[in-house]
Amino acid sequence: MASRMLSSTPLAFSSLGPALQSSSIGHLRAQPKPSGRSYGSSGSVAAALATGLICRQASRARRSARANASTTVLSKAEKLQVPGFLVNNVDIFIFDCDGVIWRGDSIIPGIPQVITQLRAQGKRLFFVTNNSTKSRAGYQSKFTSLGLDVQPEEIFSSSFAAAAYLEQTKFKDTGKKVYIIGEKGISEELDLVGIPWLGGEGDKGKEPNMGSGGKVDVDHDVGAVVVGFDRHINYHKLQYAQLCLNELPGCEFIATNMDRVTHLTDAQEWAGNGTMVGAVSGCTGREPTVVGKPAPLMIDYIAEKYGISDRSRICMVGDRLDTDIAFGRNNGLKTCLTLSGVTSEDELLDRVPRKKGTEGHPTGCLRRHHQ
Amino acid sequence: MASRMLSSTPLAFSSLGPALQSSSIGHLRAQPKPSGRSYGSSGSVAAALATGLICRQASRARRSARANASTTVLSKAEKLQVPGFLVNNVDIFIFDCDGVIWRGDSIIPGIPQVITQLRAQGKRLFFVTNNSTKSRAGYQSKFTSLGLDVQPEEIFSSSFAAAAYLEQTKFKDTGKKVYIIGEKGISEELDLVGIPWLGGEGDKGKEPNMGSGGKVDVDHDVGAVVVGFDRHINYHKLQYAQLCLNELPGCEFIATNMDRVTHLTDAQEWAGNGTMVGAVSGCTGREPTVVGKPAPLMIDYIAEKYGISDRSRICMVGDRLDTDIAFGRNNGLKTCLTLSGVTSEDELLDRVPRKKGTEGHPTGCLRRHHQ
């Protein structure tokens, strides 16, 4: 059923499958040679389930894959010739948003149909974004404005991931507060779980007194600094975070994500949350606990919530090898690379070098750093 | 003569000597046990040449020391019992400023006398600071305001180091411009060597258009981004640097220094230039060429300018093991640790752990990264 419906969409597509098949099918099958990058032209998730590339690789233990996350090689790809193969073997689809569901404020063609069809087959869907500027409620509004019917509990933004991490680790029991570098997505999510916070949008435009005897006073009850994307980053915020992390014993350093660049507008790439996190690391010498992709928090959360023991029945659908696909592979999921975003087919197949900044993630970003 | 004059100043002092003595004297001699940290109380450079600790370590080749810069162990210290030993064997003294010459806007007691006495003996003096917010002219004004007669050519600020590096590498011949994250020290030094620049203080308060189709336009003639301490750091500047470094072929990334924290006021430690550099590294994945301490540029420059082949006749005088003393040792200099600043005698002798952020420099900071 799915394959019939979906195969009517003739766009390019590739999919990377993880540790699910026997190693004997881990080779590259013949595939068409597109003339160039499909970004911005033909790729879509609809296409994903129609015709494209599927990559499978010899099985390895999930834990081992996690430990070697930074060195995972994605060298074996196969075109997805029979979409039903993927759909029938997956219960949960996790969709990256930027470059998969939308580009900027435009929906990628075919997406509404794919979502409708997968729902009709009883698949559970999640929508994931490392962009922390909105809460789940904020993202629901964006989905609605694009004509998609998506519920808040189906959305996993990195702002929610930060709140979920603090819940998991029983931060509220400490009676401490969170200092936020970031936008309202984080503060809205913390409000929902009842964790007190300061900073965030309220510190926009603040300038510390750097005259003789000047200083920034910090609240000594801060027990964690959460760093998300912040277009109003300033020296006051960075000094506040520095003092918390360097001078308050046990203060945690949490990053929503480490993305170097992000797609705020279609006109160019923008400095991502790696910028804000790098600044805080640069004055503290500390590495953060990362809660967004490619950290495993979200998968653990979904697997636990829905009692999923066989993670090979979850499929991560994304547009980037270095984030989405690495994330899926490192967590034992099936993975599916659309050609609608960052990684082109030529890059997937190593016919051209990957674009700067998409070569891979630095060591450590894939792991949690507990104090 | 020197020892007689200087020994009249009875303050605490320690000195670390590098690869100059035979390995047989590289052990720790008996020393007094001060009750606590001397910061802010008794330490001074005057004291340095009177009574204190001197550390000598088994010889190693300078080049080898540089290559292993990040792992240098400073475990062997001796008190300087005979100040003349140091003074008579040194032609050039290089003084760190913050914590050695001044703290904030106050001169450290004894400094004017030490400088006068060393000059009277024909020693050549240099004053080094990683603070890039002032040019050499700006620092001369500060010395004058403290009653010290110091010439601009005796001052080696990291803002000047950036200009000197660009001169050394013949950047002007490329016809390119420099984008500055930083304050007026850098732009003033670039003006003096005739290198065109943009950014710097002119980009204070700028906010990019992040609406639909919005972007930051960069000058495609930018050939280097220089990052210094900038209390008006903002997202526009970081996005500009990101675009230059990620999208302009061959664009260099130069950091005045990597100091995690700095002493803008006496009231607390402040997020240092490691913050600004970390932000730019975080969105580009690139490591900078570092021109200030502990990079060897300044020593190369002074040694070349004054025809010094025996670097053991240069002594680095500083207050921090992780920056000043590491810097001296990694460049084959004699070194002298005052107890007037960051590192206490207890830390020097490993009786207590070093303060957070002073444990050492991350790998890579001590090396130049050429493209």
Side-chain angles (χ1 to χ4, degrees):
Chain A
M1 168 79 167
S3 40
R4 253 190 297 128
M5 284 199 297
L6 294 164
S7 65
S8 62
T9 313
L11 301 179
F13 155 74
S14 70
S15 166
L16 294 166
L20 313 166
Q21 317 301 329
S22 79
S23 59
S24 64
I25 59 169
H27 67 280
L28 187 64
R29 283 202 203 144
Q31 58 256 308
K33 305 268 191 293
S35 57
R37 196 179 158 203
S38 63
Y39 180 90
S41 56
S42 63
S44 90
V45 173
L49 306 178
T51 173
L53 300 167
I54 185 161
C55 171
R56 306 173 190 134
Q57 198 158 331
S59 183
R60 60 167 83 174
R62 185 161 56 87
R63 189 157 301 282
S64 158
R66 274 196 207 178
N68 294 298
S70 62
T71 57
T72 300
V73 178
L74 297 164
S75 59
K76 296 175 181 177
E78 292 182 39
K79 259 207 170 174
L80 180 63
Q81 305 290 0
V82 185
F85 166 84
L86 185 67
V87 175
N88 296 337
N89 287 288
V90 167
D91 300 322
I92 294 178
F93 284 90
I94 301 177
F95 290 88
D96 175 48
C97 293
D98 185 46
V100 176
I101 303 293
W102 57 62
R103 278 197 292 272
D105 291 329
S106 307
I107 197 163
I108 290 177
I111 285 298
Q113 296 87 324
V114 169
I115 290 176
T116 301
Q117 290 160 9
L118 290 175
R119 284 201 198 286
Q121 290 179 79
K123 307 299 176 188
R124 211 175 269 284
L125 310 183
F126 292 95
F127 301 86
V128 184
T129 172
N130 265 357
N131 186 325
S132 64
T133 59
K134 292 185 176 69
S135 60
R136 286 171 299 171
Y139 275 107
Q140 188 188 24
S141 301
K142 175 157 186 170
F143 278 102
T144 302
S145 74
L146 293 173
L148 299 177
D149 183 19
V150 170
Q151 300 309 304
E153 58 271 20
E154 292 178 318
I155 300 166
F156 209 99
S157 66
S158 63
S159 49
F160 170 61
Y165 169 79
L166 290 167
E167 280 231 291
Q168 265 188 346
T169 57
K170 303 195 186 304
F171 181 84
K172 208 154 63 174
D173 296 353
T174 66
K176 298 276 188 179
K177 301 171 188 170
V178 169
Y179 181 73
I180 299 173
I181 289 181
E183 306 193 3
K184 68 180 175 187
I186 299 169
S187 52
E188 286 180 359
E189 292 291 356
L190 292 185
D191 282 343
L192 285 173
V193 293
I195 290 176
W197 56 270
L198 61 166
E201 296 205 318
D203 281 356
K204 176 182 173 182
K206 281 195 183 170
E207 291 195 16
N209 170 14
M210 285 176 265
S212 183
K215 62 178 178 159
V216 169
D217 286 314
V218 303
D219 186 324
H220 285 237
D221 281 338
V222 171
V225 173
V226 172
V227 179
F229 179 80
D230 190 334
R231 73 196 75 199
H232 298 298
I233 188 71
N234 62 34
Y235 186 67
H236 169 88
K237 298 180 187 185
L238 294 167
Q239 169 64 356
Y240 203 109
Q242 184 270 125
L243 291 168
C244 292
L245 292 168
N246 281 341
E247 302 190 0
L248 301 182
C251 186
E252 272 200 89
F253 176 16
I254 299 163
T256 58
N257 67 294
M258 301 284 282
D259 293 3
R260 287 181 188 161
V261 293
T262 184
H263 297 92
L264 291 181
T265 73
D266 277 351
Q268 62 186 191
E269 291 193 320
W270 295 80
N273 194 40
T275 319
M276 291 78 205
V277 176
V280 176
S281 285
C283 57
T284 61
R286 289 178 59 172
E287 294 295 323
T289 297
V290 183
V291 295
K293 290 180 297 178
L297 178 78
M298 175 185 60
I299 295 301
D300 295 346
Y301 184 91
I302 289 173
E304 186 179 333
K305 186 164 179 181
Y306 295 98
I308 307 284
S309 56
D310 178 5
R311 296 189 183 203
S312 74
R313 296 197 63 84
I314 304 175
C315 179
M316 176 72 210
V317 183
D319 69 317
R320 289 179 67 147
L321 281 182
D322 61 322
T323 54
D324 307 317
I325 302 307
F327 172 64
R329 295 182 61 81
N330 293 330
N331 287 286
L333 315 187
K334 277 191 176 61
T335 58
C336 170
L337 179 74
T338 68
L339 296 175
S340 53
V342 171
T343 302
S344 68
E345 187 171 344
D346 281 343
E347 290 172 302
L348 168 69
L349 300 175
D350 290 330
R351 291 193 293 235
V352 297
R354 283 199 242 161
K355 282 177 280 296
K356 267 196 172 177
T358 72
E359 304 90 344
H361 262 271
T363 308
C365 294
L366 299 166
R367 296 176 202 135
R368 292 184 195 169
H369 297 265
H370 289 291
Q371 314 233 358
Chain B
M1 169 80 168
S3 39
R4 253 189 298 130
M5 284 199 298
L6 295 163
S7 64
S8 63
T9 313
L11 302 179
F13 155 74
S14 71
S15 167
L16 293 167
L20 311 167
Q21 317 300 329
S22 79
S23 59
S24 63
I25 60 171
H27 67 279
L28 186 64
R29 285 203 200 143
Q31 56 256 306
K33 305 267 189 293
S35 57
R37 195 179 159 205
S38 63
Y39 181 92
S41 56
S42 63
S44 91
V45 172
L49 306 179
T51 174
L53 300 167
I54 185 162
C55 170
R56 305 172 192 133
Q57 196 156 333
S59 183
R60 62 167 84 174
R62 184 162 56 87
R63 191 156 300 282
S64 158
R66 274 194 206 181
N68 294 299
S70 62
T71 57
T72 300
V73 178
L74 297 164
S75 58
K76 295 175 179 177
E78 292 185 37
K79 257 205 174 177
L80 179 65
Q81 305 289 359
V82 186
F85 167 83
L86 185 66
V87 175
N88 295 337
N89 287 288
V90 168
D91 300 322
I92 295 178
F93 283 90
I94 301 177
F95 290 89
D96 175 47
C97 293
D98 185 48
V100 175
I101 304 293
W102 58 61
R103 279 197 293 271
D105 291 330
S106 307
I107 196 162
I108 290 177
I111 285 296
Q113 296 88 323
V114 168
I115 290 175
T116 301
Q117 290 159 9
L118 291 175
R119 284 202 198 284
Q121 291 178 78
K123 307 300 179 190
R124 211 175 269 285
L125 310 183
F126 292 94
F127 301 88
V128 185
T129 172
N130 264 358
N131 186 323
S132 65
T133 60
K134 293 185 176 68
S135 61
R136 285 171 300 171
Y139 275 108
Q140 189 188 23
S141 302
K142 174 154 187 174
F143 278 102
T144 302
S145 74
L146 294 173
L148 298 176
D149 183 17
V150 169
Q151 300 309 304
E153 59 270 20
E154 292 178 318
I155 300 166
F156 209 99
S157 66
S158 63
S159 50
F160 170 61
Y165 170 79
L166 290 168
E167 279 232 290
Q168 266 188 346
T169 55
K170 303 195 185 307
F171 181 82
K172 207 153 64 173
D173 297 352
T174 66
K176 297 276 189 180
K177 302 169 188 171
V178 169
Y179 181 72
I180 299 173
I181 288 181
E183 305 193 3
K184 67 180 176 187
I186 299 169
S187 52
E188 285 180 0
E189 293 291 356
L190 293 184
D191 282 342
L192 285 173
V193 294
I195 290 175
W197 57 271
L198 61 166
E201 297 205 318
D203 281 356
K204 176 181 173 183
K206 281 194 182 169
E207 291 195 16
N209 170 13
M210 284 176 266
S212 183
K215 61 178 180 161
V216 169
D217 285 313
V218 302
D219 186 325
H220 285 237
D221 282 337
V222 171
V225 173
V226 172
V227 179
F229 179 80
D230 190 333
R231 75 196 73 197
H232 297 297
I233 189 71
N234 62 34
Y235 186 68
H236 169 89
K237 297 181 188 188
L238 294 167
Q239 169 64 356
Y240 203 108
Q242 183 270 124
L243 291 169
C244 292
L245 292 168
N246 281 342
E247 302 191 0
L248 301 181
C251 187
E252 274 200 88
F253 176 16
I254 299 163
T256 60
N257 67 293
M258 301 284 282
D259 294 4
R260 286 182 188 160
V261 293
T262 185
H263 297 92
L264 290 181
T265 73
D266 278 353
Q268 63 186 191
E269 289 193 323
W270 294 79
N273 193 40
T275 320
M276 291 79 206
V277 176
V280 177
S281 285
C283 57
T284 62
R286 289 177 58 172
E287 294 295 323
T289 297
V290 183
V291 295
K293 290 180 295 178
L297 178 78
M298 176 185 61
I299 295 301
D300 295 346
Y301 183 92
I302 289 173
E304 186 180 332
K305 186 165 179 180
Y306 295 99
I308 307 286
S309 57
D310 179 5
R311 298 188 183 204
S312 74
R313 295 196 63 85
I314 304 175
C315 179
M316 178 71 211
V317 183
D319 70 315
R320 288 178 69 146
L321 282 182
D322 61 322
T323 54
D324 306 318
I325 302 307
F327 172 64
R329 295 183 61 81
N330 294 330
N331 286 286
L333 315 186
K334 278 192 174 63
T335 59
C336 170
L337 179 74
T338 68
L339 296 175
S340 53
V342 171
T343 301
S344 69
E345 188 171 344
D346 280 344
E347 290 172 301
L348 169 71
L349 301 176
D350 291 329
R351 291 193 292 238
V352 297
R354 283 198 240 162
K355 282 178 279 296
K356 267 196 174 177
T358 73
E359 303 90 344
H361 262 269
T363 308
C365 294
L366 299 166
R367 296 176 204 136
R368 293 183 195 169
H369 296 265
H370 290 289
Q371 315 232 358

